[in-house]
Amino acid sequence: MLHDFLIAPFTEFAFMRRALAGSIALAIAGPPLGVFLILRRLALTGDAVGHAILPGAALGYLASGLSLGPMTIGGLVAGLIVAVGSGVVARTTILREDASLAAFYLISLALGVTIVSLRGSNIDLLHVLFGSVLALDDATLILLAAIASVTLAALAALYRPLVLETVDAGFLASVSRSGGVVQIAFLALVVLNLVGGFQALGTLLAVGMMMLPAASAMLITDDMTLMLAAAAAQGMLAGYAGLVISFHAGLPSGPLIILVAGIHYLLALIFGPAGGLLRRLKPGRHLEA
Amino acid sequence: MDIAIRFSDLTLGYDRHPAVHHLDGEVESGALLAICGPNGAGKSTLLKGIAGTLAPLAGTIALPRVKPSDIAYLPQAADIDKGFPIKVFDVVAMGLWKRCGLFGGISRNETAKIREAIAAVGLDGFETRPIGTLSGGQLQRMLFARLLMQNAALILLDEPFTAIDSKTVADLLALVARWHEERRTVLVVSHDLDLVREYFPQTLLLAREAIARGKTDAVLTPENLLKARSMIEAFDRDAHSCARAA
Protein backbone atom coordinates (compact mmCIF):
# COMPACT_ATOMS: atom_id res chain seq x y z
CA MET A 1 0.00 0.00 0.00
CA LEU A 2 2.66 2.45 1.12
CA HIS A 3 4.90 1.00 -1.55
CA ASP A 4 2.23 1.68 -4.17
CA PHE A 5 1.98 5.25 -3.05
CA LEU A 6 5.63 6.18 -2.49
CA ILE A 7 7.71 4.00 -4.77
CA ALA A 8 5.54 2.45 -7.48
CA PRO A 9 5.22 5.65 -9.55
CA PHE A 10 8.96 5.59 -10.06
CA THR A 11 9.34 1.87 -10.72
CA GLU A 12 6.45 1.81 -13.15
CA PHE A 13 7.03 4.95 -15.17
CA ALA A 14 10.31 5.93 -16.77
CA PHE A 15 9.27 9.58 -17.06
CA MET A 16 8.86 9.71 -13.27
CA ARG A 17 12.34 8.27 -12.77
CA ARG A 18 13.76 10.86 -15.13
CA ALA A 19 11.87 13.61 -13.37
CA LEU A 20 13.23 12.42 -10.02
CA ALA A 21 16.81 12.27 -11.30
CA GLY A 22 16.46 15.73 -12.79
CA SER A 23 15.00 17.22 -9.60
CA ILE A 24 17.76 15.68 -7.49
CA ALA A 25 20.43 17.11 -9.78
CA LEU A 26 18.79 20.53 -9.48
CA ALA A 27 18.46 20.24 -5.72
CA ILE A 28 22.06 19.25 -5.06
CA ALA A 29 23.59 22.38 -6.55
CA GLY A 30 20.92 25.09 -6.55
CA PRO A 31 19.98 25.44 -2.86
CA PRO A 32 23.59 25.80 -1.62
CA LEU A 33 23.98 28.65 -4.11
CA GLY A 34 20.74 30.06 -2.73
CA VAL A 35 22.23 30.07 0.78
CA PHE A 36 25.11 32.21 -0.47
CA LEU A 37 22.72 34.48 -2.37
CA ILE A 38 20.73 35.11 0.82
CA LEU A 39 23.87 35.61 2.93
CA ARG A 40 25.16 38.09 0.35
CA ARG A 41 21.78 39.85 0.50
CA LEU A 42 21.18 39.02 -3.14
CA ALA A 43 18.00 36.97 -2.69
CA LEU A 44 16.15 38.98 -5.29
CA THR A 45 19.06 38.77 -7.72
CA GLY A 46 18.19 35.12 -8.27
CA ASP A 47 14.65 36.16 -9.06
CA ALA A 48 15.72 38.90 -11.43
CA VAL A 49 18.28 36.78 -13.25
CA GLY A 50 15.75 33.94 -13.43
CA HIS A 51 13.39 36.17 -15.38
CA ALA A 52 16.18 37.66 -17.40
CA ILE A 53 16.95 34.27 -18.90
CA LEU A 54 13.65 34.32 -20.78
CA PRO A 55 14.45 36.45 -23.86
CA GLY A 56 17.65 34.51 -24.53
CA ALA A 57 15.86 31.21 -24.31
CA ALA A 58 13.02 32.65 -26.39
CA LEU A 59 15.44 33.71 -29.11
CA GLY A 60 16.86 30.20 -29.13
CA TYR A 61 13.30 28.91 -29.35
CA LEU A 62 12.53 31.29 -32.20
CA ALA A 63 15.58 30.09 -34.08
CA SER A 64 15.02 26.37 -33.72
CA GLY A 65 11.83 25.59 -31.80
CA LEU A 66 11.73 23.69 -28.51
CA SER A 67 15.25 22.30 -28.56
CA LEU A 68 17.75 22.14 -25.77
CA GLY A 69 20.98 23.55 -27.19
CA PRO A 70 19.90 26.93 -28.58
CA MET A 71 17.56 27.65 -25.66
CA THR A 72 20.28 26.82 -23.12
CA ILE A 73 22.91 28.94 -24.81
CA GLY A 74 20.46 31.81 -25.32
CA GLY A 75 19.46 31.64 -21.65
CA LEU A 76 23.07 31.60 -20.48
CA VAL A 77 23.98 34.61 -22.58
CA ALA A 78 20.94 36.63 -21.52
CA GLY A 79 21.42 35.73 -17.84
CA LEU A 80 25.08 36.70 -17.86
CA ILE A 81 24.36 39.98 -19.65
CA VAL A 82 21.80 40.99 -17.03
CA ALA A 83 23.87 39.79 -14.05
CA VAL A 84 27.10 41.42 -15.19
CA GLY A 85 25.40 44.40 -16.86
CA SER A 86 23.49 45.45 -13.78
CA GLY A 87 26.67 45.06 -11.74
CA VAL A 88 28.48 47.41 -14.09
CA VAL A 89 25.60 49.91 -14.10
CA ALA A 90 25.58 49.87 -10.30
CA ARG A 91 29.29 50.62 -10.16
CA THR A 92 29.36 53.32 -12.82
CA THR A 93 26.12 55.26 -12.25
CA ILE A 94 24.20 56.55 -9.26
CA LEU A 95 21.72 53.65 -9.50
CA ARG A 96 22.21 50.96 -6.89
CA GLU A 97 22.44 47.31 -7.84
CA ASP A 98 18.83 46.49 -6.91
CA ALA A 99 17.44 49.31 -9.03
CA SER A 100 19.52 48.44 -12.07
CA LEU A 101 18.68 44.75 -11.71
CA ALA A 102 14.97 45.53 -11.56
CA ALA A 103 15.23 47.68 -14.67
CA PHE A 104 17.20 45.06 -16.58
CA TYR A 105 14.98 42.13 -15.74
CA LEU A 106 11.70 43.92 -16.43
CA ILE A 107 12.95 44.84 -19.89
CA SER A 108 14.22 41.32 -20.30
CA LEU A 109 10.95 39.69 -19.28
CA ALA A 110 8.83 41.89 -21.53
CA LEU A 111 11.20 41.23 -24.40
CA GLY A 112 11.08 37.49 -23.74
CA VAL A 113 7.27 37.22 -23.68
CA THR A 114 7.09 39.28 -26.86
CA ILE A 115 9.59 37.06 -28.63
CA VAL A 116 7.80 33.86 -27.56
CA SER A 117 4.48 35.19 -28.82
CA LEU A 118 6.00 36.03 -32.21
CA ARG A 119 5.89 32.37 -32.94
CA GLY A 120 4.06 29.60 -31.15
CA SER A 121 1.09 29.32 -28.88
CA ASN A 122 0.19 29.84 -25.26
CA ILE A 123 1.14 26.22 -24.64
CA ASP A 124 4.69 27.00 -25.67
CA LEU A 125 4.73 30.03 -23.42
CA LEU A 126 3.51 27.88 -20.54
CA HIS A 127 6.28 25.42 -21.26
CA VAL A 128 8.87 28.16 -21.13
CA LEU A 129 7.47 29.75 -18.00
CA PHE A 130 6.66 26.59 -16.05
CA GLY A 131 8.90 23.98 -17.61
CA SER A 132 8.21 20.32 -18.12
CA VAL A 133 9.83 18.21 -15.45
CA LEU A 134 7.85 15.21 -16.67
CA ALA A 135 9.29 15.44 -20.16
CA LEU A 136 13.03 15.41 -19.58
CA ASP A 137 14.91 13.76 -22.43
CA ASP A 138 18.41 12.30 -22.23
CA ALA A 139 20.13 15.46 -23.35
CA THR A 140 18.38 17.56 -20.72
CA LEU A 141 19.17 15.05 -17.97
CA ILE A 142 22.82 15.04 -18.95
CA LEU A 143 22.82 18.84 -18.99
CA LEU A 144 21.29 18.96 -15.49
CA ALA A 145 23.78 16.41 -14.17
CA ALA A 146 26.70 18.26 -15.75
CA ILE A 147 25.57 21.57 -14.28
CA ALA A 148 25.22 20.00 -10.84
CA SER A 149 28.71 18.49 -11.05
CA VAL A 150 30.35 21.67 -12.29
CA THR A 151 28.58 23.71 -9.64
CA LEU A 152 29.60 21.44 -6.77
CA ALA A 153 33.23 21.36 -7.92
CA ALA A 154 33.34 25.12 -8.46
CA LEU A 155 31.64 25.81 -5.13
CA ALA A 156 34.22 23.64 -3.37
CA ALA A 157 37.04 25.55 -5.06
CA LEU A 158 35.47 28.94 -4.38
CA TYR A 159 34.24 28.17 -0.88
CA ARG A 160 36.94 29.93 1.13
CA PRO A 161 37.22 33.14 -0.89
CA LEU A 162 33.44 33.26 -1.29
CA VAL A 163 32.89 33.05 2.46
CA LEU A 164 35.66 35.60 3.00
CA GLU A 165 34.25 37.91 0.35
CA THR A 166 30.87 37.75 2.03
CA VAL A 167 31.99 38.16 5.64
CA ASP A 168 34.78 40.67 5.16
CA ALA A 169 35.37 41.79 1.57
CA GLY A 170 37.91 44.36 2.72
CA PHE A 171 40.07 41.68 4.30
CA LEU A 172 39.99 39.49 1.20
CA ALA A 173 40.96 42.52 -0.90
CA SER A 174 43.91 43.14 1.41
CA VAL A 175 45.28 39.59 1.14
CA SER A 176 44.28 38.54 -2.37
CA ARG A 177 43.17 39.92 -5.70
CA SER A 178 40.60 37.17 -6.18
CA GLY A 179 37.57 39.15 -4.93
CA GLY A 180 36.28 40.30 -8.31
CA VAL A 181 36.85 36.94 -9.96
CA VAL A 182 35.06 35.17 -7.14
CA GLN A 183 32.08 37.49 -7.42
CA ILE A 184 31.72 36.98 -11.16
CA ALA A 185 32.30 33.22 -10.97
CA PHE A 186 29.60 32.99 -8.31
CA LEU A 187 27.10 34.93 -10.42
CA ALA A 188 27.99 32.73 -13.40
CA LEU A 189 27.19 29.64 -11.31
CA VAL A 190 23.84 31.15 -10.34
CA VAL A 191 22.99 31.83 -13.98
CA LEU A 192 24.11 28.32 -14.97
CA ASN A 193 21.84 26.72 -12.39
CA LEU A 194 18.90 28.90 -13.25
CA VAL A 195 19.27 27.94 -16.89
CA GLY A 196 19.34 24.30 -15.82
CA GLY A 197 16.30 24.77 -13.60
CA PHE A 198 14.60 26.57 -16.42
CA GLN A 199 14.69 23.39 -18.53
CA ALA A 200 12.96 21.37 -15.83
CA LEU A 201 10.87 23.79 -13.88
CA GLY A 202 10.62 26.88 -16.09
CA THR A 203 11.82 30.37 -15.34
CA LEU A 204 9.30 31.13 -12.62
CA LEU A 205 9.99 28.03 -10.57
CA ALA A 206 13.72 27.58 -11.10
CA VAL A 207 14.36 30.38 -8.64
CA GLY A 208 11.98 28.78 -6.13
CA MET A 209 14.04 25.60 -6.11
CA MET A 210 17.12 27.70 -5.38
CA MET A 211 15.78 30.13 -2.76
CA LEU A 212 13.08 28.33 -0.76
CA PRO A 213 15.22 25.43 0.54
CA ALA A 214 18.00 27.94 1.24
CA ALA A 215 15.71 30.22 3.25
CA SER A 216 14.36 27.37 5.34
CA ALA A 217 17.85 25.96 5.91
CA MET A 218 18.84 29.28 7.47
CA LEU A 219 15.97 28.99 9.93
CA ILE A 220 16.99 25.45 10.86
CA THR A 221 20.67 25.88 11.73
CA ASP A 222 23.26 28.62 12.22
CA ASP A 223 26.17 26.43 11.20
CA MET A 224 27.36 27.19 7.68
CA THR A 225 28.21 23.61 6.67
CA LEU A 226 24.98 22.15 8.04
CA MET A 227 23.07 24.97 6.37
CA LEU A 228 24.40 24.04 2.93
CA ALA A 229 23.66 20.35 3.52
CA ALA A 230 20.18 21.07 4.90
CA ALA A 231 19.36 23.25 1.90
CA ALA A 232 20.35 20.54 -0.59
CA ALA A 233 18.53 17.85 1.42
CA GLN A 234 15.34 19.88 1.53
CA GLY A 235 15.56 20.58 -2.18
CA MET A 236 15.78 16.85 -2.88
CA LEU A 237 12.94 16.03 -0.49
CA ALA A 238 10.76 18.68 -2.11
CA GLY A 239 11.59 17.26 -5.54
CA TYR A 240 10.59 13.76 -4.49
CA ALA A 241 7.48 14.70 -2.50
CA GLY A 242 6.31 17.15 -5.16
CA LEU A 243 6.52 14.47 -7.83
CA VAL A 244 4.68 11.87 -5.74
CA ILE A 245 1.85 14.23 -4.87
CA SER A 246 1.53 15.54 -8.40
CA PHE A 247 1.42 11.97 -9.72
CA HIS A 248 -1.41 10.88 -7.43
CA ALA A 249 -3.37 14.11 -7.52
CA GLY A 250 -2.95 14.63 -11.23
CA LEU A 251 -1.59 18.14 -10.73
CA PRO A 252 1.30 19.83 -12.57
CA SER A 253 4.56 18.66 -11.05
CA GLY A 254 6.80 21.75 -11.30
CA PRO A 255 4.57 23.99 -9.20
CA LEU A 256 3.95 21.17 -6.72
CA ILE A 257 7.68 20.71 -6.14
CA ILE A 258 7.93 24.40 -5.31
CA LEU A 259 4.80 24.23 -3.16
CA VAL A 260 6.31 21.43 -1.09
CA ALA A 261 9.48 23.53 -0.70
CA GLY A 262 7.17 26.39 0.31
CA ILE A 263 5.54 24.21 2.97
CA HIS A 264 9.01 23.35 4.31
CA TYR A 265 9.73 27.04 4.47
CA LEU A 266 6.52 27.83 6.37
CA LEU A 267 7.23 25.00 8.83
CA ALA A 268 10.80 26.24 9.32
CA LEU A 269 9.45 29.75 9.78
CA ILE A 270 7.34 28.55 12.70
CA PHE A 271 9.40 25.74 14.21
CA GLY A 272 12.95 26.53 13.00
CA PRO A 273 15.39 26.15 15.91
CA ALA A 274 17.63 28.95 14.59
CA GLY A 275 15.35 31.95 14.57
CA GLY A 276 11.89 30.50 13.88
CA LEU A 277 8.83 32.21 15.32
CA LEU A 278 8.26 29.76 18.21
CA ARG A 279 11.87 30.17 19.26
CA ARG A 280 11.35 33.94 19.27
CA LEU A 281 8.08 33.84 21.19
CA LYS A 282 9.09 31.15 23.68
CA PRO A 283 12.86 31.30 23.98
CA GLY A 284 12.85 29.44 27.30
CA ARG A 285 14.36 30.70 30.56
CA HIS A 286 17.48 32.76 30.17
CA LEU A 287 20.80 31.08 30.84
CA GLU A 288 23.27 31.66 33.66
CA ALA A 289 25.91 33.22 31.44
CA MET B 1 68.72 52.13 8.97
CA ASP B 2 66.45 49.98 6.80
CA ILE B 3 63.63 51.71 5.04
CA ALA B 4 60.24 49.96 5.17
CA ILE B 5 58.17 52.49 3.25
CA ARG B 6 59.22 55.35 0.98
CA PHE B 7 56.76 57.96 -0.31
CA SER B 8 57.89 59.91 -3.36
CA ASP B 9 55.76 62.90 -4.30
CA LEU B 10 52.74 60.80 -3.39
CA THR B 11 49.25 62.04 -4.16
CA LEU B 12 46.31 59.85 -3.20
CA GLY B 13 42.68 60.75 -3.57
CA TYR B 14 39.25 60.07 -4.91
CA ASP B 15 37.79 61.17 -8.21
CA ARG B 16 40.89 63.32 -8.92
CA HIS B 17 40.48 65.28 -5.65
CA PRO B 18 43.64 64.78 -3.56
CA ALA B 19 43.30 63.56 0.02
CA VAL B 20 47.04 63.14 0.50
CA HIS B 21 48.95 65.74 -1.48
CA HIS B 22 52.60 65.59 -2.62
CA LEU B 23 53.84 63.56 0.32
CA ASP B 24 57.54 62.71 0.52
CA GLY B 25 59.35 60.77 3.21
CA GLU B 26 60.32 57.44 4.68
CA VAL B 27 59.31 55.09 7.43
CA GLU B 28 62.07 53.02 9.01
CA SER B 29 61.78 49.28 9.44
CA GLY B 30 60.63 48.44 12.94
CA ALA B 31 59.13 51.87 13.53
CA LEU B 32 56.09 52.32 15.74
CA LEU B 33 54.52 55.31 14.07
CA ALA B 34 51.32 57.13 14.89
CA ILE B 35 49.58 59.02 12.11
CA CYS B 36 47.65 62.00 13.47
CA GLY B 37 45.73 64.86 11.95
CA PRO B 38 42.29 66.43 11.81
CA ASN B 39 39.33 64.76 10.11
CA GLY B 40 39.81 64.75 6.36
CA ALA B 41 43.59 64.93 6.68
CA GLY B 42 44.10 61.83 4.53
CA LYS B 43 45.17 59.44 7.30
CA SER B 44 42.94 56.56 6.28
CA THR B 45 43.64 57.27 2.62
CA LEU B 46 47.37 56.98 3.26
CA LEU B 47 46.90 53.55 4.88
CA LYS B 48 44.76 52.39 1.96
CA GLY B 49 47.52 53.49 -0.38
CA ILE B 50 50.18 51.59 1.57
CA ALA B 51 47.94 48.52 1.79
CA GLY B 52 47.53 48.68 -1.97
CA THR B 53 43.74 48.94 -2.03
CA LEU B 54 43.89 52.48 -3.48
CA ALA B 55 46.12 53.34 -6.43
CA PRO B 56 48.05 56.65 -6.26
CA LEU B 57 46.85 59.55 -8.42
CA ALA B 58 50.51 60.53 -8.78
CA GLY B 59 53.85 59.61 -7.26
CA THR B 60 54.79 56.28 -5.74
CA ILE B 61 54.80 54.24 -2.55
CA ALA B 62 57.82 51.96 -2.46
CA LEU B 63 58.02 49.04 -0.05
CA PRO B 64 61.63 47.93 -0.62
CA ARG B 65 61.69 45.13 1.94
CA VAL B 66 58.04 44.16 2.28
CA LYS B 67 56.07 41.96 -0.09
CA PRO B 68 52.37 42.85 -0.51
CA SER B 69 51.53 39.56 1.18
CA ASP B 70 53.51 40.66 4.24
CA ILE B 71 51.12 43.51 4.99
CA ALA B 72 48.32 43.21 7.51
CA TYR B 73 45.72 45.96 7.22
CA LEU B 74 42.86 46.56 9.63
CA PRO B 75 40.50 49.17 8.15
CA GLN B 76 38.51 51.63 10.21
CA ALA B 77 35.37 49.98 11.59
CA ALA B 78 36.13 46.85 9.60
CA ASP B 79 33.32 46.20 7.24
CA ILE B 80 32.35 42.83 8.67
CA ASP B 81 28.97 41.26 7.95
CA LYS B 82 28.00 40.28 11.48
CA GLY B 83 24.95 38.41 10.22
CA PHE B 84 27.08 35.77 8.53
CA PRO B 85 26.97 32.42 10.36
CA ILE B 86 30.70 32.15 11.03
CA LYS B 87 32.48 31.44 14.29
CA VAL B 88 35.23 33.38 16.02
CA PHE B 89 37.72 30.56 15.43
CA ASP B 90 37.11 30.62 11.67
CA VAL B 91 37.50 34.39 11.40
CA VAL B 92 40.83 34.22 13.26
CA ALA B 93 41.87 31.33 11.01
CA MET B 94 41.40 33.65 8.01
CA GLY B 95 44.70 35.20 9.07
CA LEU B 96 46.38 32.09 7.68
CA TRP B 97 45.18 32.89 4.15
CA LYS B 98 48.67 33.77 2.97
CA ARG B 99 49.85 30.23 3.74
CA CYS B 100 46.68 28.22 3.17
CA GLY B 101 45.09 29.90 0.17
CA LEU B 102 42.20 28.07 -1.45
CA PHE B 103 42.78 24.50 -0.35
CA GLY B 104 45.55 24.34 2.25
CA GLY B 105 44.57 22.56 5.43
CA ILE B 106 45.17 23.86 8.93
CA SER B 107 47.67 21.71 10.81
CA ARG B 108 47.32 20.72 14.45
CA ASN B 109 50.14 23.09 15.23
CA GLU B 110 48.29 25.95 13.56
CA THR B 111 45.05 25.06 15.32
CA ALA B 112 46.95 25.43 18.57
CA LYS B 113 48.33 28.77 17.39
CA ILE B 114 44.84 30.02 16.55
CA ARG B 115 43.69 29.09 20.05
CA GLU B 116 46.74 30.87 21.48
CA ALA B 117 45.94 33.99 19.48
CA ILE B 118 42.34 33.93 20.69
CA ALA B 119 43.56 33.54 24.26
CA ALA B 120 46.15 36.31 23.76
CA VAL B 121 43.42 38.83 22.97
CA GLY B 122 41.39 37.69 25.97
CA LEU B 123 38.67 35.81 24.09
CA ASP B 124 39.40 32.40 25.62
CA GLY B 125 36.27 30.27 25.41
CA PHE B 126 34.72 32.30 22.58
CA GLU B 127 36.05 30.02 19.82
CA THR B 128 32.67 28.63 18.74
CA ARG B 129 30.63 31.80 19.28
CA PRO B 130 28.99 33.19 16.14
CA ILE B 131 30.44 36.62 15.42
CA GLY B 132 26.96 38.16 15.50
CA THR B 133 26.89 37.71 19.28
CA LEU B 134 30.11 39.66 19.97
CA SER B 135 30.21 43.17 21.42
CA GLY B 136 32.12 45.93 19.66
CA GLY B 137 35.19 45.48 21.86
CA GLN B 138 35.12 41.70 21.50
CA LEU B 139 34.89 42.05 17.73
CA GLN B 140 37.97 44.28 17.72
CA ARG B 141 39.81 41.78 19.94
CA MET B 142 38.93 39.03 17.47
CA LEU B 143 40.30 41.11 14.57
CA PHE B 144 43.54 41.63 16.51
CA ALA B 145 43.78 37.86 16.92
CA ARG B 146 43.46 37.57 13.15
CA LEU B 147 46.26 40.14 12.80
CA LEU B 148 48.38 37.95 15.10
CA MET B 149 47.82 34.99 12.79
CA GLN B 150 48.80 37.05 9.74
CA ASN B 151 52.31 37.28 11.14
CA ALA B 152 52.98 40.34 8.98
CA ALA B 153 56.12 42.45 8.76
CA LEU B 154 54.10 45.63 8.19
CA ILE B 155 50.94 46.22 10.21
CA LEU B 156 48.51 49.03 9.39
CA LEU B 157 45.79 49.87 11.90
CA ASP B 158 43.15 52.49 11.14
CA GLU B 159 41.57 53.99 14.26
CA PRO B 160 41.69 50.66 16.10
CA PHE B 161 40.84 52.17 19.49
CA THR B 162 37.68 54.15 18.82
CA ALA B 163 34.49 53.28 20.68
CA ILE B 164 36.31 50.73 22.82
CA ASP B 165 36.60 50.66 26.62
CA SER B 166 39.89 51.46 28.34
CA LYS B 167 40.58 47.88 29.45
CA THR B 168 40.31 46.64 25.87
CA VAL B 169 42.45 49.52 24.61
CA ALA B 170 45.13 48.64 27.15
CA ASP B 171 45.08 44.97 26.13
CA LEU B 172 45.30 45.80 22.44
CA LEU B 173 48.08 48.33 23.04
CA ALA B 174 50.03 45.56 24.75
CA LEU B 175 49.83 43.59 21.51
CA VAL B 176 51.01 46.62 19.55
CA ALA B 177 53.96 46.95 21.94
CA ARG B 178 54.73 43.25 21.44
CA TRP B 179 54.77 43.71 17.65
CA HIS B 180 57.12 46.65 18.11
CA GLU B 181 59.47 44.51 20.22
CA GLU B 182 59.39 41.88 17.48
CA ARG B 183 60.76 44.56 15.11
CA ARG B 184 57.65 44.68 12.98
CA THR B 185 56.77 48.03 11.39
CA VAL B 186 53.49 49.28 12.85
CA LEU B 187 51.52 52.31 11.60
CA VAL B 188 48.50 53.35 13.62
CA VAL B 189 46.04 56.07 12.71
CA SER B 190 44.64 57.67 15.83
CA HIS B 191 43.24 61.01 16.85
CA ASP B 192 43.57 60.33 20.55
CA LEU B 193 46.61 62.57 21.11
CA ASP B 194 47.05 61.61 24.77
CA LEU B 195 47.26 57.96 23.82
CA VAL B 196 49.70 58.75 21.03
CA ARG B 197 51.94 60.79 23.37
CA GLU B 198 52.03 57.96 25.86
CA TYR B 199 52.61 54.94 23.64
CA PHE B 200 54.03 55.99 20.27
CA PRO B 201 57.67 57.08 19.97
CA GLN B 202 57.18 58.58 16.49
CA THR B 203 54.39 60.54 14.88
CA LEU B 204 53.51 61.80 11.43
CA LEU B 205 51.20 64.80 11.61
CA LEU B 206 49.20 64.88 8.41
CA ALA B 207 46.90 67.50 6.94
CA ARG B 208 46.88 66.40 3.31
CA GLU B 209 50.56 67.28 3.40
CA ALA B 210 53.02 66.34 6.12
CA ILE B 211 52.95 69.11 8.75
CA ALA B 212 55.62 67.54 10.93
CA ARG B 213 57.22 64.17 11.58
CA GLY B 214 59.68 62.68 14.00
CA LYS B 215 59.69 62.26 17.77
CA THR B 216 56.12 62.46 19.04
CA ASP B 217 56.75 65.23 21.59
CA ALA B 218 58.39 67.41 18.98
CA VAL B 219 55.58 66.82 16.50
CA LEU B 220 52.47 67.24 18.61
CA THR B 221 53.09 70.84 19.62
CA PRO B 222 50.25 73.37 19.84
CA GLU B 223 51.71 75.33 16.90
CA ASN B 224 51.85 72.26 14.66
CA LEU B 225 48.34 71.17 15.61
CA LEU B 226 46.98 74.63 14.86
CA LYS B 227 48.78 74.64 11.55
CA ALA B 228 47.34 71.22 10.71
CA ARG B 229 43.84 72.42 11.42
CA SER B 230 44.18 75.48 9.21
CA MET B 231 45.56 73.39 6.34
CA ILE B 232 42.35 71.51 5.78
CA GLU B 233 40.42 73.54 3.26
CA ALA B 234 36.91 72.77 2.21
CA PHE B 235 36.31 70.28 -0.59
CA ASP B 236 36.30 72.36 -3.76
CA ARG B 237 34.10 70.99 -6.52
CA ASP B 238 35.59 73.35 -9.08
CA ALA B 239 39.23 72.87 -8.13
CA HIS B 240 41.66 73.38 -10.97
CA SER B 241 44.13 70.64 -11.82
CA CYS B 242 47.20 70.84 -9.63
CA ALA B 243 50.11 72.60 -11.35
CA ARG B 244 52.73 71.90 -8.70
CA ALA B 245 55.80 70.34 -10.31
CA ALA B 246 56.45 66.68 -9.66
Side-chain angles (χ1 to χ4, degrees):
Chain A
M1 179 62 204
L2 213 54
H3 176 274
D4 282 355
F5 191 78
L6 296 177
I7 298 169
F10 300 100
T11 52
E12 274 172 40
F13 297 101
F15 72 89
M16 288 295 283
R17 284 198 293 278
R18 288 167 173 279
L20 185 63
S23 321
I24 287 175
L26 277 177
I28 284 177
L33 286 176
V35 169
F36 274 104
L37 276 175
I38 295 178
L39 287 173
R40 295 172 68 84
R41 296 185 173 49
L42 292 174
L44 289 175
T45 302
D47 206 24
V49 172
H51 290 94
I53 289 168
L54 190 61
L59 275 181
Y61 165 75
L62 205 59
S64 50
L66 276 178
S67 74
L68 182 66
M71 287 177 72
T72 302
I73 293 168
L76 272 180
V77 171
L80 285 175
I81 287 177
V82 169
V84 175
S86 55
V88 169
V89 168
R91 246 158 278 160
T92 51
T93 70
I94 56 160
L95 281 186
R96 300 231 181 118
E97 184 137 23
D98 54 345
S100 53
L101 255 178
F104 265 79
Y105 101 79
L106 288 169
I107 297 169
S108 218
L109 188 61
L111 192 64
V113 175
T114 311
I115 294 173
V116 172
S117 67
L118 277 182
R119 191 180 128 183
S121 60
N122 281 338
I123 310 249
D124 287 336
L125 186 60
L126 274 182
H127 170 85
V128 169
L129 286 177
F130 297 104
S132 52
V133 71
L134 295 183
L136 297 178
D137 56 13
D138 283 352
T140 312
L141 267 187
I142 290 170
L143 178 76
L144 290 179
I147 287 175
S149 312
V150 168
T151 305
L152 283 188
L155 210 51
L158 289 178
Y159 186 75
R160 258 185 208 169
L162 190 58
V163 167
L164 255 176
E165 227 272 325
T166 313
V167 182
D168 191 353
F171 178 75
L172 182 67
S174 79
V175 293
S176 151
R177 302 253 172 270
S178 64
V181 178
V182 167
Q183 218 171 344
I184 289 171
F186 174 70
L187 276 180
L189 285 181
V190 171
V191 172
L192 194 64
N193 275 271
L194 289 175
V195 170
F198 159 79
Q199 301 293 342
L201 301 173
T203 45
L204 291 178
L205 303 180
V207 189
M209 187 55 143
M210 190 176 276
M211 305 311 298
L212 282 171
S216 24
M218 296 192 65
L219 292 163
I220 289 173
T221 170
D222 56 6
D223 180 284
M224 188 68 199
T225 323
L226 287 178
M227 205 181 276
L228 296 174
Q234 279 186 77
M236 286 189 260
L237 187 62
Y240 168 75
L243 283 172
V244 169
I245 296 170
S246 80
F247 179 84
H248 292 294
L251 291 168
S253 47
L256 266 172
I257 291 175
I258 303 304
L259 274 179
V260 173
I263 291 167
H264 285 167
Y265 169 70
L266 291 178
L267 289 177
L269 206 55
I270 297 169
F271 300 105
L277 288 177
L278 276 189
R279 180 86 186 177
R280 279 280 152 84
L281 294 176
K282 280 190 168 291
R285 270 186 76 84
H286 67 255
L287 305 173
E288 250 183 355
Chain B
M1 193 59 90
D2 282 346
I3 303 301
I5 311 172
R6 179 181 293 121
F7 311 111
S8 314
D9 194 36
L10 174 69
T11 297
L12 291 161
Y14 309 92
D15 200 17
R16 292 175 64 207
H17 291 283
V20 173
H21 209 183
H22 296 293
L23 181 70
D24 282 296
E26 289 158 353
V27 178
E28 291 163 4
S29 274
L32 175 54
L33 176 74
I35 301 173
C36 299
N39 287 333
K43 309 181 293 286
S44 302
T45 309
L46 183 61
L47 285 201
K48 281 183 203 164
I50 300 170
T53 57
L54 181 70
L57 296 176
T60 57
I61 303 171
L63 303 167
R65 314 184 64 84
V66 188
K67 285 177 295 184
S69 60
D70 260 342
I71 303 175
Y73 169 47
L74 182 62
Q76 189 171 11
D79 200 4
I80 284 209
D81 179 359
K82 288 181 75 175
F84 197 95
I86 189 169
K87 299 181 170 62
V88 168
F89 182 92
D90 295 326
V91 173
V92 177
M94 286 177 187
L96 291 170
W97 174 274
K98 184 173 61 170
R99 201 198 56 69
C100 291
L102 283 184
F103 298 110
I106 293 174
S107 67
R108 197 173 294 185
N109 185 14
E110 282 167 335
T111 305
K113 276 201 179 131
I114 293 170
R115 291 188 187 285
E116 268 170 41
I118 292 173
V121 297
L123 286 182
D124 223 347
F126 281 71
E127 284 87 349
T128 58
R129 284 273 290 268
I131 59 170
T133 64
L134 298 184
S135 72
Q138 288 165 341
L139 197 76
Q140 197 70 352
R141 285 171 185 262
M142 173 185 78
L143 294 175
F144 266 70
R146 185 172 74 182
L147 288 169
L148 280 172
M149 294 313 296
Q150 281 186 272
N151 190 22
L154 173 58
I155 299 171
L156 310 169
L157 309 176
D158 196 350
E159 295 284 7
F161 308 123
T162 36
I164 282 175
D165 67 26
S166 53
K167 169 81 170 72
T168 305
V169 171
D171 288 353
L172 298 183
L173 273 170
L175 289 175
V176 171
R178 175 174 139 192
W179 287 327
H180 184 50
E181 272 166 35
E182 293 167 347
R183 304 282 305 143
R184 302 175 200 267
T185 311
V186 185
L187 274 61
V188 180
V189 167
S190 176
H191 54 228
D192 184 342
L193 298 182
D194 294 332
L195 183 142
V196 170
R197 285 198 183 92
E198 192 168 345
Y199 295 97
F200 291 81
Q202 293 184 318
T203 298
L204 165 65
L205 181 59
L206 198 65
R208 290 205 191 156
E209 309 179 18
I211 301 298
R213 77 188 75 198
K215 286 218 170 9
T216 297
D217 289 337
V219 169
L220 294 181
T221 61
E223 304 83 65
N224 281 341
L225 291 171
L226 192 65
K227 193 173 162 202
R229 201 146 307 161
S230 65
M231 285 288 291
I232 300 293
E233 312 109 300
F235 173 82
D236 183 356
R237 225 175 214 285
D238 304 314
H240 294 289
S241 58
C242 177
R244 207 183 306 175

